[in-house]
Amino acid sequence: MKCDLHIHSTCSDGIFPPTKLVDMASERGLDCIAITDHDTVAGVAQAQARANELGIKYVVGAELSSVQDCRDVHILVYNIDVNADGFAREMSEIADMRNKRNIAIVNKLAEYGIKIDLDKLKEQFPAVGRAVIAREIVRLGFCKDVPEVFDKYIGVDKCCFVQTRRLTPVEAIQFGLRYGGLPVLAHPKQLRFANNAQFEQFVKPLIKAGLAGIEAQYFTHNMVERNYYGKIAKRYRLISTGGSDFHDYTHGVELGTKSFSPSGYTRKILGI
């Protein structure tokens, strides 16, 4: 089974709508996908309906943004019940945190002569994030590419970086659990711990809080890293997932070029 459980659509900061991504996944031989937009499930219904039409297994998911010790920690939540009482209200509150952060970033950028029309961006990308803002800065000609925008303006500790109230990783995990979801730590390498011991020390409280998995098979992980994160998952009886993190042709890798084959344990827990 070829799976990609980390994909982004125009409902957050990707360039293709949910149904188009399902079509692309089918054309490229994927058997199971999850569209995991940032802090939103706006595309779930249409993606799930299209997947049913094409006979692709579809896992309902989202990628929640959280922060701990000035470190961005993303929690993928799978199999959440998006129709449960209270879910829409809580998700809206999470999205509002992101929106307040975006407003603060745009205000800082204006101090440096970079004027971003946030309302216009939201018309195209309902869940605007730093990647969308970065692409707009490139389009306006202030930087040559997205990495330069982060290096110069909106990356951690840069002149226009803003840290407003966000979920903590434990809060993100608890949110997923409240609605029947499986919380998975996204792209652990990006946490940039100095060594494996520090990573394991970081992840233990998350496991205690109910973390269900680690994205060991993330596309940037080399074989040594995949094996290490896979061993940590096995040691603590967590599932091991993977994905392309496809947003566009500069962020993540192209859909269908990277996939993973889940173990029997992971398939059983995810229900795929």
Side-chain angles (χ1 to χ4, degrees):
M1 172 177 277
K2 294 174 63 178
C3 299
D4 187 337
L5 300 184
H6 194 160
I7 307 168
H8 295 275
S9 80
T10 49
C11 291
S12 63
D13 53 354
I15 61 170
F16 293 114
T19 51
K20 174 65 174 175
L21 289 170
V22 177
D23 290 343
M24 291 167 66
S26 177
E27 292 163 3
R28 297 172 188 192
L30 292 171
D31 303 300
C32 176
I33 65 167
I35 293 175
T36 51
D37 284 317
H38 294 286
D39 302 326
T40 182
V41 291
V44 164
Q46 51 186 305
Q48 198 162 33
R50 185 60 177 154
N52 289 341
E53 290 174 5
L54 297 178
I56 294 178
K57 292 184 182 295
Y58 187 82
V59 177
V60 174
E63 184 173 9
L64 302 179
S65 306
S66 71
V67 174
Q68 182 171 308
D69 300 327
C70 295
R71 180 179 272 118
D72 284 333
V73 183
H74 289 189
I75 303 294
L76 295 156
V77 287
Y78 297 112
N79 289 342
I80 42 178
D81 182 0
V82 299
N83 298 311
D85 290 343
F87 177 84
R89 175 185 55 79
E90 280 204 67
M91 185 59 91
S92 177
E93 290 170 357
I94 292 170
D96 189 52
M97 292 180 195
R98 170 182 285 267
N99 190 49
K100 287 176 179 175
R101 191 275 310 267
N102 291 340
I103 291 170
I105 289 174
V106 166
N107 288 341
K108 274 201 168 188
L109 286 167
E111 295 173 9
Y112 288 82
I114 303 174
K115 294 183 179 180
I116 303 291
D117 188 335
L118 193 55
D119 290 333
K120 197 168 183 180
L121 283 183
K122 286 169 70 175
E123 290 175 8
Q124 187 176 0
F125 301 100
V128 172
R130 283 189 297 164
V132 170
I133 292 171
R135 290 202 296 261
E136 180 66 4
I137 291 171
V138 172
R139 189 190 71 81
L140 292 171
F142 290 98
C143 292
K144 68 178 185 297
D145 55 29
V146 167
E148 184 183 353
V149 177
F150 277 84
D151 289 342
K152 253 180 115 170
Y153 295 107
I154 63 175
V156 177
D157 295 332
K158 302 306 178 184
C159 61
C160 297
F161 178 76
V162 173
Q163 189 62 75
T164 56
R165 160 76 175 122
R166 307 304 294 272
L167 295 178
T168 66
V170 168
E171 287 174 333
I173 289 166
Q174 291 171 338
F175 171 83
L177 294 174
R178 259 196 308 281
Y179 297 104
L182 293 164
V184 172
L185 179 64
H187 36 63
K189 180 181 178 179
Q190 289 189 14
L191 295 171
R192 295 182 174 84
F193 283 103
N195 53 55
N196 291 344
Q198 284 187 8
F199 172 77
E200 191 166 359
Q201 199 62 31
F202 166 81
V203 84
K204 281 181 180 178
L206 304 189
I207 295 168
K208 188 175 180 180
L211 187 73
I214 297 175
E215 192 180 30
Q217 307 300 313
Y218 189 65
F219 81 96
T220 64
H221 294 172
N222 61 35
M223 193 55 64
V224 171
E225 291 158 347
R226 288 176 178 231
N227 288 339
Y228 168 70
Y229 294 124
K231 284 178 182 176
I232 291 292
K234 192 172 182 180
R235 181 180 305 165
Y236 293 101
R237 293 189 56 77
L238 308 176
I239 63 174
S240 178
T241 68
S244 65
D245 205 3
F246 176 66
H247 290 67
D248 55 45
Y249 295 110
T250 62
H251 189 162
V253 290
E254 189 170 347
L255 194 64
T257 59
K258 291 283 185 180
S259 62
F260 84 106
S261 298
S263 69
Y265 178 68
T266 296
R267 290 177 64 175
K268 180 182 177 182
I269 299 301
L270 276 174
I272 58 175

